[in-house]
Amino acid sequence: MSRSTGAKPAEPVIAEANRAVRRRFPFDDDQDLKDARRGFMGTARESVVRDAEGRTVWDLDAYGFLGQDCPDTANPSLWRQSRLCSEHGLFEVTEGIHQVRGFDLSNMTIVEGEHGVFVIDPLISAETAAAGLALYRRHRGDRPVTGVLYTHSHVDHFGGVRGVVSDGNVPVLAPAGFLEHAVSENVYAGTAMSRRAAYMYGAALPKGERGQIGAGLGLTTSTGAVGLIPPTVDITRTGQTETVDGIRMVFQLTPGTEAPAELNIHFPDHAALCMAENATHNLHNLLTLRGAEVRDPRVWARYLTEAIGLFADASDVAFASHHWPVWGRERIVRFLSGQRDLYAYLHDQTLRMLNQGLTGPEIAERMQLPPALERAWHTHGYYGSVSHNTKAVYQRYLGWFDGNPAHLWEHPPAESARRYVEFMGGAGEVLRRARQSYADGDFRWVAQVVDHVVFADPDNAEARALQADALEQLGYGSENGTWRNFYLMGALELRHGPVGTPTATTAPDLLAALTLEQLFDSLAIRIDGPRAWDVDITVRWNPAGGEPVTLRLHNGVLTHVTGGGPAAAEPDVEITLAEADLRAVLLGAVAPGDLAARDDIEVTGDLGKLTELLGHLSDPDPDFAIVTP
């Protein structure tokens, strides 16, 4: 692997820091390993899951190296977590409930009903979900899927749905608001999020001791076909009960926790509690490194308290959409209480220090968990981290500005870098000093200071090489899987140039699920504003069976008004057509000029104005540089 990426060994200071981790924590505690293997029934006969074209979507054997002793190039705590996540196959959670684990970033849960099976969270890709269902059927019989449930609005919990059902001919349950959040997150800022997610999950890194070893929440993301079947049943309140195929379920709505739309589920006939992604075997993200809305740890903690009160006394097992279950009522309460205290502590202590005048980075540097929480493996920052979560709490309450007017109007990165390097005596002097810091093992400072040289002079080969080496060492020492991946992906980009983004945010099912309102909004964020300052174009759409929508580009802003009234300007062109044709035009599948030739479409006015308006759309860049300007 080192020949292909230029990866180097761990420096002595990192090797010793990793050995210190092993001395500090109870690595002889094997309870998690016992739980991760409990109920194992078997795994797939073929280790590689492929798509219709033969491309590898998932490789069950890719992480076999984790069975070895932890090397110096990995934090032993992260290595342990990834080893646990690499346990793959079909597992019995309790009688009538099984999980497919290790086939994707997330778990797929299968609950047996009277006539078939009820599938919860069908992974990211249709191919991995189909492989998981086939594994279940090999061990439990060819039972039909009689229902589907999405616990929340993130793609690793719905994207593989077409691998278990072909269409919406079975009930599909989801929390209220699911569809809006599922599609908007993947479309509005989807390109940037996907680009950063490629770093977060280490998409281009070889899997191995000097490369990608997992992401904490799971190993990595599958790369198959993403789909979405809209829900047919909304869960709108805590206490709501539903029965599908004889399976009784009691729901707890938890909006604003790990996702804007999320729920927990109790199965009273199984004494089983599904915690979705609200309680997993790690500290979760309050703000993911890929980007998202900041989550609310205050309500997250309150919902965990509520879950204990509602369900703990009637539960013999608690399982989730990631990681392995917890059995026994006493252990369940201890686990959920620890998770609750974790988020509450980060929230409350950040607010305490914030109100004493500390800024986000200062709070992150001071924050330390109580000893009892720090000792628990499930509170470790394998996915979220104490550092970036405390900064997220600060951002939630006070935003990006720390109150210091010197930070109110700083130069952008490249211009600041040029000035910093000049002030520090030039690139040569900065690199000379940075090499000494590298020799001293101060990789954090090397990464911070050499970043200025790279941004001031992206072609400086010496600076890029030193920055790559520093980022790599920081990755080797990180307990957080996503930090490690970001550091190592940064090193890879510095050595070999920008690497591609394997995921796309424009899966057909997601685009089809956009409302017209969301579709018009998605166009508005693509308008090249400065180029359209002096443009004034109005297009009126008359979709069959719907209200007219007036679209106006004016002052560099694309607005839409549904219905009539004074806000709807007089159109330059008016088009009457079916909604499907309107969507095809807005998504670029049909050229505006083709509309005039259609007998079933009525055009009044200057159709060239529509072409002109769409010409002001800019295309997002799915492969933009991250560690260089």
Side-chain angles (χ1 to χ4, degrees):
M1 191 200 84
S2 60
R3 289 193 300 271
S4 62
T5 67
K8 298 180 179 180
E11 293 289 339
V13 66
I14 292 296
E16 173 52 33
N18 284 337
R19 287 192 289 269
V21 170
R22 178 166 289 281
R23 295 191 295 268
R24 182 180 178 189
F25 293 107
F27 282 85
D28 56 348
D29 177 1
D30 64 353
Q31 183 62 59
D32 283 335
L33 183 60
K34 291 177 180 177
D35 289 341
R37 291 176 171 174
R38 178 170 170 172
F40 177 71
M41 301 178 68
T43 192
R45 291 169 176 159
E46 297 291 331
S47 63
V48 176
V49 178
R50 303 184 190 276
D51 64 13
E53 284 72 44
R55 291 186 293 262
T56 297
V57 169
W58 188 259
D59 185 348
L60 291 168
D61 291 342
Y63 292 91
F65 64 89
L66 290 167
Q68 304 168 8
D69 290 340
C70 181
D72 290 341
T73 53
N75 184 294
S77 180
L78 176 60
W79 190 270
R80 172 189 181 276
Q81 177 78 350
S82 296
R83 175 69 189 84
L84 291 165
C85 291
S86 70
E87 297 286 336
H88 57 78
L90 178 69
F91 299 82
E92 183 182 57
V93 175
T94 190
E95 184 176 356
I97 299 180
H98 297 77
Q99 282 192 316
V100 175
R101 299 202 289 268
F103 276 55
D104 212 319
L105 182 70
S106 50
N107 301 334
M108 182 167 71
T109 302
I110 301 172
V111 186
E112 296 173 352
E114 295 175 352
H115 305 289
V117 294
F118 185 69
V119 175
I120 301 173
D121 288 352
L123 310 182
I124 295 176
S125 303
E127 295 86 351
T128 53
L133 183 60
L135 173 62
Y136 167 83
R137 286 172 169 164
R138 178 156 61 87
H139 287 273
R140 298 291 295 166
D142 192 10
R143 309 178 189 212
V145 174
T146 51
V148 173
L149 184 143
Y150 311 134
T151 61
H152 59 290
S153 52
H154 294 152
V155 71
D156 50 324
H157 303 272
F158 67 79
V161 65
R162 293 192 182 275
V164 297
V165 289
S166 58
D167 52 41
N169 61 354
V170 300
V172 179
L173 286 66
F178 166 87
L179 196 60
E180 174 190 354
H181 293 294
V183 298
S184 63
E185 178 172 297
N186 286 282
V187 174
Y188 289 176
T191 300
M193 283 188 180
S194 290
R195 180 69 180 123
R196 286 165 56 148
Y199 270 61
M200 183 171 171
Y201 296 105
L205 295 173
K207 296 171 177 61
E209 65 179 40
R210 297 187 188 179
Q212 208 269 4
I213 63 172
L217 193 65
L219 294 172
T220 188
T221 56
S222 63
T223 56
V226 173
L228 172 63
I229 295 176
T232 60
V233 179
D234 287 339
I235 307 304
T236 60
R237 60 180 177 84
T238 293
Q240 182 174 336
T241 61
E242 298 288 341
T243 300
V244 177
D245 194 15
I247 302 166
R248 292 197 300 141
M249 293 170 280
V250 182
F251 295 97
Q252 178 196 14
L253 275 187
T254 63
T257 52
E258 191 272 335
E262 190 151 356
L263 53 74
N264 297 327
I265 318 158
H266 187 249
F267 297 89
D269 297 331
H270 299 79
L273 175 60
C274 173
M275 289 302 297
E277 207 165 321
N278 289 318
T280 52
H281 287 273
N282 56 212
L283 169 59
H284 213 298
N285 284 301
L286 298 180
L287 178 58
T288 71
L289 300 184
R290 66 179 170 86
E293 295 180 7
V294 179
R295 297 153 189 176
D296 188 344
R298 181 180 62 88
V299 302
W300 197 331
R302 288 185 179 182
Y303 281 126
L304 286 170
T305 298
E306 184 180 64
I308 295 170
L310 288 172
F311 306 126
D313 282 346
S315 300
D316 294 329
V317 61
F319 62 92
S321 302
H322 296 271
H323 302 141
W324 49 94
V326 173
W327 285 270
R329 297 186 183 185
E330 182 179 338
R331 288 185 62 207
I332 290 170
V333 172
R334 186 164 65 247
F335 172 67
L336 295 181
S337 298
Q339 287 278 300
R340 184 265 320 277
D341 293 348
L342 176 63
Y343 297 109
Y345 188 87
L346 291 179
H347 173 271
D348 296 348
Q349 295 307 306
T350 299
L351 266 291
R352 178 182 66 83
M353 288 187 268
L354 173 158
N355 282 316
Q356 293 175 339
L358 275 70
T359 64
E362 291 168 335
I363 296 170
E365 205 67 12
R366 290 196 186 189
M367 185 70 74
Q368 185 172 358
L369 293 179
L373 289 180
E374 192 175 41
R375 283 195 299 269
W377 285 113
H378 67 84
T379 63
H380 281 228
Y382 302 118
Y383 192 55
S385 74
V386 169
S387 177
H388 74 252
N389 276 348
T390 53
K391 294 172 187 174
V393 177
Y394 185 96
Q395 177 178 322
R396 181 177 180 86
Y397 284 93
L398 294 183
W400 64 270
F401 180 44
D402 64 5
N404 184 339
H407 303 154
L408 189 58
W409 190 36
E410 294 180 326
H411 288 287
E415 181 61 23
S416 292
R418 185 184 64 79
R419 293 167 184 250
Y420 275 125
V421 171
E422 182 181 339
F423 266 50
M424 290 186 284
E429 179 61 16
V430 176
L431 293 176
R432 184 187 69 79
R433 292 173 177 265
R435 282 192 295 273
Q436 182 58 54
S437 295
Y438 188 94
D440 294 340
D442 193 354
F443 308 114
R444 186 178 176 187
W445 174 244
V446 174
Q448 186 172 339
V449 73
V450 177
D451 183 62
H452 292 309
V453 181
V454 172
F455 269 72
D457 180 10
D459 295 325
N460 189 313
E462 185 180 355
R464 292 173 71 110
L466 183 55
Q467 182 74 335
D469 290 348
L471 294 178
E472 186 169 70
Q473 295 300 317
L474 290 170
Y476 289 165
S478 179
E479 183 184 44
N480 184 283
T482 61
W483 281 37
R484 176 185 174 98
N485 292 336
F486 254 90
Y487 284 134
L488 297 187
M489 285 288 290
L492 188 66
E493 182 178 319
L494 285 163
R495 289 169 177 156
H496 302 286
V499 289
T501 302
T503 55
T505 62
T506 53
D509 280 351
L510 291 175
L511 294 177
L514 289 170
T515 64
L516 282 178
E517 177 99 2
Q518 291 175 315
L519 194 49
F520 287 127
D521 284 344
S522 70
L523 292 182
I525 61 179
R526 291 177 53 200
I527 290 292
D528 186 337
R531 201 160 59 85
W533 283 345
D534 300 322
V535 174
D536 191 354
I537 300 173
T538 302
V539 177
R540 180 164 297 152
W541 302 98
N542 295 311
E547 291 188 90
V549 180
T550 303
L551 198 63
R552 186 184 186 189
L553 179 56
H554 182 58
N555 289 329
V557 177
L558 186 66
T559 57
H560 64 274
V561 177
T562 302
E570 284 300 308
D572 297 300
V573 60
E574 190 165 359
I575 306 168
T576 302
L577 72 178
E579 182 177 318
D581 293 319
L582 169 55
R583 289 176 171 274
V585 173
L586 298 182
L587 292 171
V590 173
D594 295 340
L595 300 179
R598 293 269 299 272
D599 293 336
D600 58 338
I601 296 176
E602 181 181 342
V603 178
T604 304
D606 183 2
L607 190 56
K609 289 293 186 180
L610 174 59
T611 301
E612 183 182 348
L613 186 152
L614 296 178
H616 287 282
L617 297 175
S618 61
D619 292 325
D621 178 6
D623 297 314
F624 56 78
I626 291 181
V627 291
T628 56

